[in-house]
Amino acid sequence: MASSISSGLRAFFGAGRSGVRGQMDALNRTQAVIEFALDGTILTANQNFLDAMGYALGDIVGKHHRLFVDPAEAASPDYAAFWKRLGAGEPDVGLYRRLGAGGREVWIQASYNPVLDRRGRPVRVVKFATDVTEQRLRTADMEGRLSAIDKAQAVISFTLDGHILDANDNFLATMGYEREEVIGQHHCMFVDRVARSSADYLAFWEKLGRGEYDSGLYHRVDRRGREVWIQGSYNPIFDMAGRPFKVVKYATDVTAQTRATRTLHASLTELADTVPAIAEQARATNALANEASRSAASGGAMVDAVIATMGAIQAGARDIAEIVGLIDSIAFQTNILALNASIEAARSGVHGKGFAVVAQEVRMLSQRSADSARDIRALIENTLERVREGSERSGEAGDAMRNILGSVTTLLDRVSDVARATNTQAGGIDTVRRAVAELA
């Protein structure tokens, strides 16, 4: 390359004066040009160079080239060797990092070209350069992004027909292979036997071969035959003419997440299938609670009626007791009258003998009435005691029934809430289940 550059320059400067001027004008319009003495002292520079570096011509003429170089680099042996080679007539071509005015970093794609006299001896150095700072920054940004992707994701590249060109460590670790085991093999080694022979798989690579992008969740098989789920994208890469020439895949291993999602989906499906039955049971329980509430209310009314009836019986028993007391009083008075009649009959002698018999019968009848009244009184008093006890028990039963009714009402409210919540939950679970199904 060095000899071809030197030959070109000799031809360039060996042309006629008008030809040289025309060619120099063309170079000055398109490139940054600067001339140096063999020791690196600046002789002149065109406007493109001055604009690229941010200097005026008077700022740099007579100064050394190290003005554009980092001080550490300028003091290095490599820099001294660089100018030694140029002084010996050897050109240098490459991408150079230079410093413009104010220490601004400038990247140039350039060639340092020793100019030879007619005897072939170098007399000065001409540098032709292009400012590629923006391109370099874009390249650095792209390289940084690709490096970050390479560190974070599984990356593998293929030919357009699916043969593996390269794979990074993340991909190899995910699939359990060594690099030499996959390079040159076909992508189908990561696909199960059924899928690899399918029409969809063939269409997949035909699509990529046409330069069409593909992304999604993919089921793959690792070296041991275990399933691997990856979230990835297959990206056709195009050449300068816009034609696809390879495919790069960026992927993330989501096997654990996918399995968890599928397990969750299965659980939610099971739950969604169970919840309607639970909801139906809740509705049935709600109906039973309503029926129990109605029964409790009816029972409460019946107990209240019983209490009222017992009160009426108790009142009637007290009335009977009063009547029996009146009968006992009448019997007592009748007995007194019969006794008086017996006395009067005895005074009447023979004429009052029949009347005395009647008086005796009346007195015995009144005595039996008095005995019966006392028995009835005792019975009624016992009945009143039982009625009183029954009334107390009925009152207690009424209180208990009212408490039961209150508890049943509260239970009914709770069961109704559960029934409504279960119906709402059934709808919510079904919505979540459908969402998880879409993810799965």
Side-chain angles (χ1 to χ4, degrees):
M1 178 181 287
S3 61
S4 63
I5 292 174
S6 298
S7 299
L9 285 172
R10 281 196 294 271
F12 178 83
F13 288 105
R17 185 179 297 274
S18 60
V20 170
R21 184 180 298 111
Q23 292 174 349
M24 286 300 299
D25 288 342
L27 286 172
N28 279 317
R29 284 194 299 270
T30 59
Q31 288 197 302
V33 182
I34 184 171
E35 295 184 23
F36 304 92
L38 293 180
D39 63 355
T41 302
I42 300 168
L43 300 174
T44 187
N46 74 353
Q47 193 59 47
N48 286 340
F49 185 89
L50 297 172
D51 291 341
M53 304 305 291
Y55 286 104
L57 184 59
D59 296 332
I60 63 173
V61 172
K63 295 184 179 179
H64 195 272
H65 173 269
R66 68 174 60 93
L67 172 68
F68 309 124
V69 181
D70 183 272
E73 181 183 352
S76 68
D78 289 342
Y79 185 69
F82 168 74
W83 278 105
K84 186 176 180 180
R85 288 195 305 273
L86 292 175
E90 297 180 21
D92 199 272
V93 180
L95 178 67
Y96 304 93
R97 177 180 178 269
R98 296 292 182 249
L99 299 180
R104 177 173 57 89
E105 184 177 75
V106 179
W107 287 89
I108 56 175
Q109 185 70 48
S111 63
Y112 289 80
N113 307 279
V115 179
L116 309 180
D117 62 14
R118 293 183 181 277
R119 296 182 180 180
R121 295 174 299 184
V123 293
R124 67 182 183 274
V125 176
V126 179
K127 172 183 175 182
F128 301 102
T130 301
D131 183 359
V132 293
T133 304
E134 291 188 8
Q135 297 93 313
R136 177 64 181 174
L137 291 175
R138 285 196 296 269
T139 301
D141 178 66
M142 184 61 67
E143 289 176 351
R145 293 186 185 188
L146 292 175
S147 177
I149 291 173
D150 189 64
K151 291 177 181 177
Q153 291 193 299
V155 183
I156 185 171
S157 59
F158 306 91
T159 62
L160 293 181
D161 62 357
H163 286 86
I164 300 165
L165 297 173
D166 196 9
N168 73 351
D169 292 338
N170 287 338
F171 185 90
L172 296 170
T174 298
M175 304 306 292
Y177 287 98
E178 297 296 331
R179 181 170 279 98
E180 58 272 13
E181 293 179 299
V182 301
I183 301 301
Q185 300 297 318
H186 194 273
H187 172 270
C188 65
M189 68 185 298
F190 308 126
V191 182
D192 65 63
R193 294 183 180 277
V194 175
R196 74 178 63 168
S197 59
S198 68
D200 288 342
Y201 185 67
L202 296 176
F204 169 76
W205 277 106
E206 289 176 358
K207 172 183 175 181
L208 294 174
R210 293 191 302 267
E212 298 179 26
Y213 165 89
D214 196 89
S215 67
L217 179 68
Y218 302 95
H219 176 260
R220 297 293 181 251
V221 179
D222 71 3
R223 191 173 188 274
R224 298 183 180 180
R226 297 172 301 186
E227 71 169 9
V228 177
W229 289 93
I230 54 175
Q231 186 72 45
S233 63
Y234 290 80
N235 307 275
I237 306 300
F238 299 87
D239 61 17
M240 298 300 291
R243 295 169 299 194
F245 69 93
K246 70 175 181 178
V247 176
V248 178
K249 172 185 176 182
Y250 301 103
T252 301
D253 182 4
V254 293
T255 304
Q257 298 92 314
T258 302
R259 288 174 179 170
T261 300
R262 292 194 164 200
T263 300
L264 177 60
H265 175 251
S267 300
L268 286 174
T269 300
E270 182 179 356
L271 182 59
D273 293 339
T274 304
V275 166
I278 297 174
E280 182 60 33
Q281 291 295 328
R283 285 191 290 271
T285 303
N286 188 36
L288 290 174
N290 279 311
E291 183 62 29
S293 177
R294 289 191 293 271
S295 298
S298 177
M302 292 177 63
V303 169
D304 289 340
V306 169
I307 292 173
T309 302
M310 293 297 291
I313 293 173
Q314 191 173 20
R318 284 194 293 270
D319 292 341
I320 293 173
E322 291 178 358
I323 292 172
V324 170
L326 179 60
I327 292 172
D328 184 51
S329 175
I330 292 172
F332 178 75
Q333 292 177 3
T334 301
N335 189 38
I336 295 299
L337 290 174
L339 180 61
N340 289 335
S342 296
I343 293 172
E344 290 298 327
R347 288 178 180 177
S348 299
V350 176
H351 296 288
K353 187 174 180 180
F355 185 71
V357 173
V358 173
Q360 180 63 25
E361 289 296 328
V362 170
R363 189 174 68 81
M364 292 177 64
L365 180 60
S366 64
Q367 184 64 40
R368 285 197 298 274
S369 296
D371 292 340
S372 296
R374 282 192 295 275
D375 292 340
I376 292 172
R377 177 187 292 275
L379 179 61
I380 289 175
E381 286 178 351
N382 290 333
T383 300
L384 284 174
E385 180 63 23
R386 300 294 181 272
V387 169
R388 183 184 64 77
E389 292 178 357
S391 180
E392 290 177 355
R393 299 295 181 270
S394 295
E396 293 173 357
D399 292 338
M401 186 59 71
R402 280 187 287 274
N403 291 334
I404 291 172
L405 182 59
S407 298
V408 169
T409 301
T410 302
L411 176 62
L412 177 61
D413 293 339
R414 298 293 183 270
V415 171
S416 297
D417 291 342
V418 170
R420 286 191 296 271
T422 303
N423 287 328
T424 302
Q425 186 182 34
I429 289 175
D430 189 59
T431 300
V432 173
R433 181 183 62 80
R434 288 195 298 270
V436 172
E438 293 179 3
L439 290 176

